[in-house]
Amino acid sequence: MAQLAAVVGVGQTKYKTKRKDVSIAGLVREAAVAALEDADLTWNDIDAVILGKAPDMFEGIVMPELYLTDALGCNGKPMLRVHTAGSVGGSTAIVAASYVQSGVFKRILTVSFEKQSESNAMWALSNPQPFSPHLNAGAGGYFAPIIREYMRRSDAPYDAGIKVAVKDRLHGAKNPLAHLQLPNITMKEVEDSPMLWEPLRFLEACPSSDGACAMIIANEELATKSPRKPAWIRGTAMRSEPTMYAGREQVNPQAGIDCAKDVYAQAGIHNPRKDLDCAEIYVPFSWYEPMWLENLGFADVGKGWELTMSGATSLDEGGDIPWNCSGGVLSSNPIGASGMIRFAEAAQQVRGEAHGHQVEGAKTALGHAYGGGAQFFSMWVVSADKP
Amino acid sequence: MRDVAIVAFAQSNCQRDAGAQNEVELIMPVLQEVYKQAGITNAQDVDFTCSGSCDYQQGAAFAFVAGVDALGAVPPIKESHVEMDAAWALYEAWLKIQMGHAESALLYGFGKSSPGELPIVLSQQLDPYYLAPLWVDTIAFAAMQARTMLDSGAITELDMAEVVARSRNNALSNPYAQLKSDGDAASLLDEPMYMSPLRRHDCCPISDGACAMIICTVEKAKEWGKPYAVIKGIDHRIETHHIGSRDLSRSVSTEIAGKAAGVASGPVDVAELYAPFSHQEIILKQALGLSDDTVINPSGGVLAGNVMMASGLSRIGEVAMRIIRGEAKRGVAHATSGPCLQQNLVTVLEAK
């Protein structure tokens, strides 16, 4: 049986286009030290470090965890490096949790980061490969046709994506760490921004950010003694499927459906919209909110956009199931960390530590990440209540 | 911790250049072989799959994604990946089994180093501000390490040559090995220097290939009715990246991992040590406290063939297979990563 484990400390850097004031080591250490302070711990209290990031080519360093060992106080300890494409921040948190849930370690540090300003992600994603079609489009160009298919099938109004872009930036304006600070953004402003990949406009896409996120996960005994409220891990799940195969459902991927079912079953979630108080979901392009609302069972297939348009996912409109109160990936996107930020923000909500973007009385929250061609999924459910 | 069984292991030939074969084509045969050994059909028949590989070997972001194509992941599977040697993928799966989230797991590691210049590629895993701009490559670092040991009198050049001669001789009986010969140590010393004090044969070759393994609970192994070896202990540790802060004649992280894995709690019949350079085998033997009674690298080790990202898992597989075949009762396997043995994983295996 898995041992109980809980998040007892969270640390995040300020997210911005270029963190010129810190090295990569300085960046990860900033998040790690913040997490240690949040948990009232020191480096000696940590048994192992689990590090995640997206492709090494984003910074141009092969296996950077080797070099980051010293900055993360890991000398003489175990260090593991996870890489599962865009879902990596979430997968890393899940692997990190398994260090404690297995009973092998008592308290570990997990960190994920991206310093996009060190290199060029668009280039790193687009270098040609033998035996493969050459996509020069980056992530937005890859997902745009899938979004167009969603719009066709669901007959969604053209401005559902615009609504998400505004909503998440208004949420982000309540979070001082968020990269984009756009408290006065309007639907008109989003609509007037340049079209990048039909139907995605500039302001419907995530920014490129530098940043790091860290969490400390402890076993039951140590979590109970922690100075601040722990976020108990109620379920973790991962699923993968190939990028392409004949008949693959790309709008509503089976891997996402299966992953959600698995994590809900572990956490006792029967009706996600009712049983969860909020969710931090990986939405790098606006239209992925309505699409994931359906994929994750918050809305019937074809009806996700109705939830979005009704304001159900908006903190400002008093929605019953606020999504991405932190501003989400649309407000900050240090790629390798973006999944972990979702998991950590879910934890902060149930710990009551989300400050300006706190959902009042939040008890149970979902953290979600996806990656590759919407083919890798990782999710966890955290709760203020011990199972 | 509960015992975990290794029921299947397969490795490809270590080839200098796999030519036009892509990674999926390297992986598929070893996957088919472990399915056959375990008596299962595909990755759908295990609870968890985890792999190890390195984007920079292939020269592409998300290089491992294509590996999923080799698995038959329809319907979707529970799957993860480490940007490390697949020995650490085994560790991740071992944790999943310990926590009760899986009863069985498929692991694989693969690497195609031939398209690039591996020592130069690996120089980019160094501190990007202070070391990488100097383009110090892996061989130069290993040469410095060997030099400090020679200068201190800890080893002689003949000691290094003896490691190589034994490796090449042992490899004669290993069909997967890339380099094998029956020469003796003294004649190796006649070879010219490559990067002083290393001769070419002191350095592991560059190889393309893959390996795969299936592990499970002991109960599951019995249900499958397959012979198995048992993982009694496993631990991994890392130490400082700054070479100047380390005693290069020791591997402190291997010492800690060896203790935590319980190497000393019984006799060690056989050990497979991931020593990419001859002198490093001597360091590792000391770090693990192995006596002269232990047979070291009966496969020839990585001096006879080194598939980056798979060699560590292969060391574990080599020991497991010897135990399954009844050639040994208790063995130790070691995996490494980083310059001058910065990161190390130690596994203790026993017969059931």
Side-chain angles (χ1 to χ4, degrees):
Chain A
M1 260 304 283
Q3 309 281 311
L4 286 183
V7 178
V8 298
V10 170
Q12 299 181 62
T13 63
K14 163 73 184 161
Y15 304 112
K16 58 189 282 189
T17 308
K18 291 184 185 190
R19 281 294 305 266
K20 287 182 176 171
D21 58 321
V22 285
S23 64
I24 295 171
L27 187 75
V28 295
R29 193 174 170 93
E30 188 178 307
V33 166
L36 286 170
E37 282 172 359
D38 185 36
D40 197 18
L41 297 170
T42 66
W43 294 106
N44 288 339
D45 300 315
I46 299 301
D47 298 335
V49 179
I50 297 86
L51 186 129
K53 73 173 292 315
D56 291 358
M57 277 169 197
F58 284 4
E59 286 84 10
I61 308 168
V62 181
M63 302 177 192
E65 66 280 3
L66 295 167
Y67 138 70
L68 295 172
T69 297
D70 296 271
L72 293 173
C74 198
N75 293 346
K77 297 174 188 175
M79 161 75 85
L80 188 105
R81 158 71 192 289
V82 181
H83 177 17
T84 61
S87 65
V88 65
S91 311
T92 305
I94 289 175
V95 175
S98 75
Y99 271 69
V100 176
Q101 291 169 312
S102 61
V104 179
F105 296 91
K106 292 193 169 105
R107 186 163 46 200
I108 58 81
L109 168 69
T110 183
V111 187
S112 62
F113 77 95
E114 208 71 69
K115 201 153 187 276
Q116 287 211 56
S117 64
E118 298 282 338
S119 178
N120 183 319
M122 185 81 169
W123 169 84
L125 287 172
S126 299
N127 51 342
Q129 286 298 300
F131 318 116
S132 301
H134 184 202
L135 299 172
N136 227 339
Y142 183 89
F143 291 117
I146 300 170
I147 292 169
R148 287 200 296 274
E149 172 64 7
Y150 170 74
M151 294 169 75
R152 188 191 67 78
R153 285 189 201 173
S154 66
D155 207 15
Y158 83 101
D159 57 352
I162 296 172
K163 165 102 182 174
V164 176
V166 170
K167 186 251 318 176
D168 279 2
R169 272 49 175 271
L170 292 177
H171 286 171
K174 301 175 197 298
N175 174 8
L177 297 177
H179 178 170
L180 299 183
Q181 294 292 331
L182 303 170
N184 303 312
I185 192 171
T186 62
M187 299 276 282
K188 169 113 178 36
E189 191 183 347
V190 176
E191 188 166 358
D192 289 347
S193 68
M195 185 65 78
L196 297 183
W197 309 275
E198 176 82 35
L200 293 171
R201 296 167 181 83
F202 179 75
L203 282 172
E204 291 181 82
C206 53
S208 282
S209 315
D210 286 355
C213 177
M215 287 191 284
I216 291 162
I217 298 173
N219 70 8
E220 182 179 7
E221 187 201 344
L222 294 175
T224 312
K225 290 180 191 158
S226 193
R228 292 194 176 79
K229 269 176 71 176
W232 296 96
I233 300 167
R234 302 294 296 264
T236 64
M238 288 165 72
R239 286 296 186 284
S240 308
E241 66 183 38
T243 318
M244 292 175 226
Y245 58 90
R248 179 171 181 234
E249 170 52 58
Q250 301 212 60
V251 173
N252 190 14
Q254 191 63 41
I257 295 170
D258 291 359
C259 192
K261 271 191 190 149
D262 187 354
V263 81
Y264 294 159
Q266 292 172 45
I269 305 286
H270 304 289
N271 179 340
R273 186 172 173 185
K274 278 210 181 99
D275 298 345
L276 293 163
D277 298 306
C278 57
E280 282 282 338
I281 308 296
Y282 205 101
V283 177
F285 301 103
S286 58
W287 280 93
Y288 268 90
E289 174 172 304
M291 288 162 69
W292 290 152
L293 278 166
E294 297 170 24
N295 190 246
L296 298 170
F298 288 74
D300 291 337
V301 172
K303 303 287 183 198
W305 61 267
E306 289 182 10
L307 224 60
T308 293
M309 295 309 278
S310 76
T313 58
S314 163
L315 201 54
D316 297 278
E317 296 177 50
D320 65 294
I321 182 65
W323 270 34
N324 295 327
C325 300
S326 67
V329 183
L330 281 171
S331 296
S332 317
N333 186 33
I335 301 176
S338 290
M340 188 173 287
I341 298 168
R342 308 280 72 70
F343 279 47
E345 283 289 345
Q348 293 297 66
Q349 288 288 352
V350 303
R351 296 174 77 207
E353 296 281 345
H355 304 291
H357 57 282
Q358 177 72 46
V359 175
E360 211 174 316
K363 289 262 184 232
T364 307
L366 171 68
H368 162 281
Y370 85 94
Q375 66 189 113
F376 301 112
F377 292 85
S378 54
M379 303 177 197
W380 81 4
V381 171
V382 283
S383 175
D385 301 324
K386 197 165 133 181
Chain B
M1 292 301 109
R2 69 199 289 186
D3 287 351
V4 171
I6 296 177
V7 291
F9 169 70
Q11 58 188 312
S12 66
N13 289 335
C14 295
Q15 310 174 66
R16 179 60 186 87
D17 187 343
Q21 282 184 86
N22 68 15
E23 284 72 7
V24 173
E25 289 168 313
L26 291 172
I27 298 164
M28 290 295 283
V30 291
L31 291 183
Q32 292 304 322
E33 175 59 28
V34 290
Y35 297 154
K36 203 169 92 185
Q37 286 177 24
I40 63 174
T41 315
N42 57 38
Q44 299 289 341
D45 295 337
V46 294
D47 298 331
F48 182 61
T49 299
C50 197
S51 61
S53 71
C54 172
D55 279 354
Y56 262 82
Q57 269 175 287
Q58 193 167 336
F62 304 128
F64 66 93
V65 172
V68 177
D69 287 347
L71 298 172
V74 182
I77 58 170
K78 298 173 186 174
E79 187 263 351
S80 188
H81 173 263
V82 293
E83 193 81 353
M84 308 177 85
D85 188 286
W88 278 268
L90 165 71
Y91 191 84
E92 185 177 329
W94 180 81
L95 290 174
K96 279 266 188 301
I97 291 177
Q98 295 301 337
M99 70 184 273
H101 265 210
E103 289 188 358
S104 58
L106 167 68
L107 315 158
Y108 61 98
F110 58 101
K112 198 176 167 191
S113 300
S114 58
E117 290 176 62
L118 188 61
I120 296 292
V121 171
L122 292 179
S123 77
Q124 296 310 293
Q125 70 181 191
L126 302 171
D127 180 318
Y129 304 98
Y130 294 103
L131 290 172
L134 304 174
W135 296 93
V136 198
D137 69 27
T138 34
I139 302 172
F141 261 130
M144 278 191 265
Q145 184 178 36
R147 175 61 68 200
T148 63
M149 295 178 75
L150 289 166
D151 286 356
S152 72
I155 57 169
T156 65
E157 288 188 25
L158 184 64
D159 294 334
M160 292 164 65
E162 277 170 354
V163 169
V164 179
R166 178 168 38 74
S167 159
R168 297 276 173 91
N169 291 343
N170 288 348
L172 287 169
S173 56
N174 177 2
Y176 309 102
Q178 187 174 336
L179 299 177
K180 42 185 99 178
S181 62
D182 55 6
D184 63 2
S187 59
L188 289 173
L189 289 178
D190 294 335
E191 298 290 320
M193 282 295 172
Y194 175 51
M195 195 173 290
S196 175
L198 301 179
R199 293 171 172 83
R200 208 170 254 284
H201 54 243
D202 289 310
C203 313
C204 60
I206 292 171
S207 319
D208 292 348
C211 72
M213 180 182 281
I214 292 173
I215 62 170
C216 61
T217 60
V218 167
E219 296 74 28
K220 190 84 185 167
K222 287 178 179 160
E223 183 191 317
W224 281 344
K226 299 295 171 187
Y228 59 90
V230 172
I231 298 173
K232 279 287 177 189
I234 183 167
D235 192 82
H236 65 98
R237 302 283 158 162
I238 197 165
E239 57 194 280
T240 178
H241 185 66
H242 298 289
I243 302 292
S245 305
R246 284 164 53 186
D247 174 355
L248 291 178
S249 64
R250 281 175 65 191
S251 176
V252 175
S253 50
T254 304
E255 290 168 19
I256 302 170
K259 276 201 187 79
V263 171
S265 55
V268 180
D269 302 331
V270 61
E272 283 280 343
L273 308 180
Y274 194 154
F277 300 92
S278 58
H279 62 279
Q280 292 178 342
E281 187 189 292
I282 299 166
I283 296 172
L284 291 168
K285 183 183 170 189
Q286 282 171 355
L288 292 167
L290 299 177
S291 76
D292 290 336
D293 297 333
T294 300
V295 177
I296 293 180
N297 289 342
S299 71
V302 296
L303 289 175
N306 182 28
V307 179
M308 285 292 296
M309 317 316 285
S311 280
L313 185 64
S314 284
R315 305 277 67 69
I316 300 166
E318 284 280 355
V319 172
M321 287 294 140
R322 271 166 219 283
I323 288 173
I324 287 173
R325 290 197 298 264
E327 296 166 19
K329 285 218 171 315
R330 188 167 185 275
V332 168
H334 160 267
T336 197
S337 176
C340 295
L341 306 172
Q342 189 195 344
Q343 184 174 25
N344 297 282
L345 179 145
V346 178
T347 310
V348 174
L349 298 142
E350 288 182 11
K352 62 175 167 173

